[in-house]
Amino acid sequence: MPIFSLKLKESINQPSCTMEDIKELKEKLASYQKENSELVRRVLELEKTESRLKKSARSMEEKSATLSAIVKSSDDAIVSKTLEGIITSWNSSAERIFGYHESEMIGQPILKIIPEDRQDEEIEILSKLRQGIRVEHFETKRLTKNGKLLDVSLTISPIRDTSGVIIGLSKIARDITEKKLEEQRKHNFVAMVSHELKTPLTAITAYIQILLQISKKDSNPFYATTLTRAETQAKKMITMIQDFLSLARLEEGKIQINKQKFELHPLIIDLAGDAQFLTKKHVIDLISCDNIWIYGDPEKLGHVIINLLNNAIKYSPEGGTITIHCDKEGDRIKISIQDEGVGINLADQKRLFERFYRVNSDKIKTVSGFGIGLYLASEILRFHDSKIEVKSQEGMGSTFWFSLNIHQ
Ligand code: ADP
């Protein structure tokens, strides 16, 4: 029996107990009972919270064990560091890749593995991460313990505390030295083969041109027609080979942009003439580009335009009009090439400028190409502070355009 009820009974049995006392005692009893049930409720609540906390601690432990197993077994170096660049963790792949044991690196500055000429990168990366920007697949070089330079691809993310404040950085470094060497070998091979192919082809084109001149005097038109076709095909091959050579140069960082002041109109007239020479099915129409001067590399920009014209021809198998527009927009000139060809769907439009990307469609599967023309064009335009854009709809033709600063 609860102690308060006993007391109550005792008080009631006392002869001196007045009604007032009884009332007071009853009130006290009620208040104690209320307090008691509140305490019971709180105890239950605390028990629930305790079980919740235990559960979440267990799940945290599990997560942390999984994470540490992943970090341990990863083939990539996984390193964490403070915002000041002091290393706080160093996994076994980091030991394998960079040659330093964990005990040699914890507490050390990350600069230890950054080559001297690349130490500014760290400041740039830190400033990006402070703004909450993740750095992904950043290709650079890092130093091993024995002084060897490695090609690495870095992905760096901020580590935040529960309130979202950045308290450190995690860095995943993948050793891509072998991949880079393989790429280099491939480029060297492509450059060498392209160069070797170009020399005899140029000679063949020259011989065809001589024969063409002679055949024009002949009464049989068959020779001239056949030689013209042979010349067209040889020129197409030279263009493709040139694209491969440009790609190799670009990727080696050896592409040379020779900027000078030049007039746009004569260049475009020449290119439109060259393109018209390749086709009888299409009409190439030029809306005037008169009196516009550009400061840029005429050869490289010419390459961009001829590439867009060739594509307009290639991807309009039914023929049609190809229009070159020049539109003044403030101090820039917008050059666009519009065709009435097969068009491109939205998903493909997003990937057209990637290296080796070709649209996979029945309508154009017989059209030859390597998917490097638009990639090269966009790279050349990048050197001219410009970019290539496209508007297209499947079956409704395409328009490609870019703009350049007008030279005043
Ligand atoms: P290639 O023509 O050698 O394949 P490009 O880089 O010049 O390489 O073009 C990439 C792809 O973009 C082409 O394969 C083609 O599918 C698509 N494309 C380019 N220009 C046009 C165009 N004017 N109309 C339709 N598709 C085009």
Side-chain angles (χ1 to χ4, degrees), residues 139-152:
E139 294 196 357
T140 180
K141 290 194 187 287
R142 290 293 177 257
L143 263 180
T144 67
K145 187 175 178 179
N146 58 20
K148 196 174 144 202
L149 268 182
L150 293 181
D151 283 294
V152 290

Side-chain angles (χ1 to χ4, degrees), residues 311-312 314-319 338-349 352 359-364 390-400:
N311 278 352
K314 280 199 309 190
Y315 300 108
S316 309
E318 309 286 319
Q338 184 182 11
D339 65 54
E340 298 172 337
V342 294
I344 311 154
N345 68 38
L346 260 182
D348 285 317
Q349 282 177 39
L352 286 185
V359 175
N360 188 3
S361 138
D362 277 348
K363 276 190 216 149
I364 51 170
V390 59
K391 188 164 184 256
S392 182
Q393 209 179 325
E394 252 184 315
M396 307 289 283
S398 311
T399 305
F400 285 83

Side-chain angles (χ1 to χ4, degrees), residues 59-74 78 91 159 170:
S59 119
M60 296 254 287
E61 264 170 31
E62 275 167 22
K63 269 189 198 156
S64 133
T66 317
L67 215 66
S68 94
I70 294 172
V71 170
K72 267 194 195 129
S73 62
S74 162
I78 303 181
N91 76 342
I159 304 172
S170 80

